[in-house]
Amino acid sequence: GAVVSQHPSWVICKSGTSVKIECRSLDFQATTMFWYRQFPKQSLMLMATSNEGSKATYEQGVEKDKFLINHASLTLSTLTVTSAHPEDSSFYICSARLRGQGTGELFFGEGSRLTVL
Amino acid sequence: GENVEQHPSTLSVQEGDSAVIKCTYSDSASNYFPWYKQELGKRPQLIIDIRSNVGEKKDQRIAVTLNKTAKHFSLHITETQPEDSAVYFCAAHDYKLSFGAGTTVTVRA
């Protein structure tokens, strides 16, 4: 099946610093990738939809200037948490769908656990 | 947008018994309904999915039913085993995938 790789798997940073998380589709092209955030014992909440070659679409309540998304190629999307604060500590998961599929199975990355001190 | 409700939030069953999780959705345009199993600290794993043109789908011990008229779908796990213990999420797709709140399933040996 399709493989999505996400790095880093965990990161600890100081408050005020920025952290970049990478999401790669290893064996398929993904024109669209999705970024989710999951707080402990909660569900996955969609943050934004990343579109190759264009601006990301953010969900209501998600600050686009704080969570920068870049989707520069068909296999790579990045999420940068800028000026991170302790309340940004969470599990961030990316996912991708096979190119050309409007709906269908999403392939998830391993997730990145961010801890902001 | 889509609103997915999931019940129960926790479910404890004896090994060998069946487990049933129910979800409702709000957007009649939703046409894809996957179920995910997530173990602590790991990514969600697709266990079964169903499209809106199908009423039921089964894969070994796991089955999903969909009632489009009532806008609800259910996950059935039969002959539960301890390794079935995890958090299960339902989801519905209109223009994006929206998740239910999750059900923590504990299978008692």
Side-chain angles (χ1 to χ4, degrees):
Chain A
V3 179
V4 175
S5 179
Q6 188 174 339
H7 293 281
S9 56
W10 59 271
V11 57
I12 301 172
C13 69
K14 293 182 178 180
S15 185
T17 60
S18 295
V19 174
K20 179 185 282 188
I21 301 169
E22 291 189 349
C23 180
R24 293 180 185 272
S25 55
L26 297 185
D27 51 1
F28 67 100
Q29 292 182 333
T31 51
T32 303
M33 290 185 175
F34 306 89
W35 287 95
Y36 289 84
R37 180 168 54 183
Q38 187 177 31
F39 291 108
K41 297 187 178 182
Q42 293 190 22
S43 186
L44 287 82
M45 298 301 296
L46 181 65
M47 298 175 65
T49 302
S50 169
N51 302 294
E52 186 267 337
S54 65
K55 292 183 178 180
T57 303
Y58 290 82
E59 294 300 303
Q60 192 173 8
V62 178
E63 299 175 59
K64 62 180 181 180
D65 294 331
K66 179 171 183 61
F67 299 98
L68 301 180
I69 291 173
N70 183 280
H71 194 153
S73 77
L74 287 171
T75 60
L76 174 64
S77 177
T78 61
L79 168 68
T80 301
V81 183
T82 63
S83 186
H85 291 285
E87 57 266 29
D88 299 322
S89 298
S90 187
F91 192 51
Y92 292 87
I93 313 175
C94 70
S95 66
R97 182 174 288 127
L98 291 175
R99 186 181 187 184
Q101 284 202 323
T103 58
E105 183 177 358
L106 282 185
F107 300 95
F108 284 89
E110 301 96 327
S112 299
R113 184 161 302 282
L114 171 63
T115 301
V116 184
L117 302 177
Chain B
E2 179 62 272
N3 180 42
V4 180
E5 295 193 354
Q6 183 172 346
H7 299 280
S9 57
T10 61
L11 181 60
S12 180
V13 296
Q14 189 68 38
E15 182 178 1
D17 288 349
S18 295
V20 180
I21 303 171
K22 297 183 178 182
C23 289
T24 61
Y25 62 99
S26 60
D27 190 348
S28 57
S30 289
N31 57 9
Y32 175 65
F33 306 90
W35 285 88
Y36 293 90
K37 175 183 181 182
Q38 188 180 31
E39 297 178 350
L40 190 62
K42 300 203 173 170
R43 77 183 98 189
Q45 292 201 319
L46 179 71
I47 55 172
I48 196 167
D49 56 10
I50 191 168
R51 292 189 178 272
S52 58
N53 58 348
V54 176
E56 185 174 355
K57 184 177 179 181
K58 188 175 182 180
D59 182 5
Q60 299 183 337
R61 297 187 296 110
I62 296 173
V64 58
T65 59
L66 171 65
N67 184 324
K68 283 179 56 180
T69 302
K71 297 202 197 73
H72 64 70
F73 56 115
S74 301
L75 177 72
H76 303 252
I77 306 174
T78 59
E79 300 173 28
T80 54
Q81 301 166 5
E83 51 265 38
D84 294 329
S85 296
V87 180
Y88 291 81
F89 292 98
C90 63
H93 190 287
D94 46 7
Y95 67 94
K96 64 178 182 180
L97 197 61
S98 299
F99 286 81
T103 298
T104 301
V105 174
T106 302
V107 180
R108 308 185 306 272

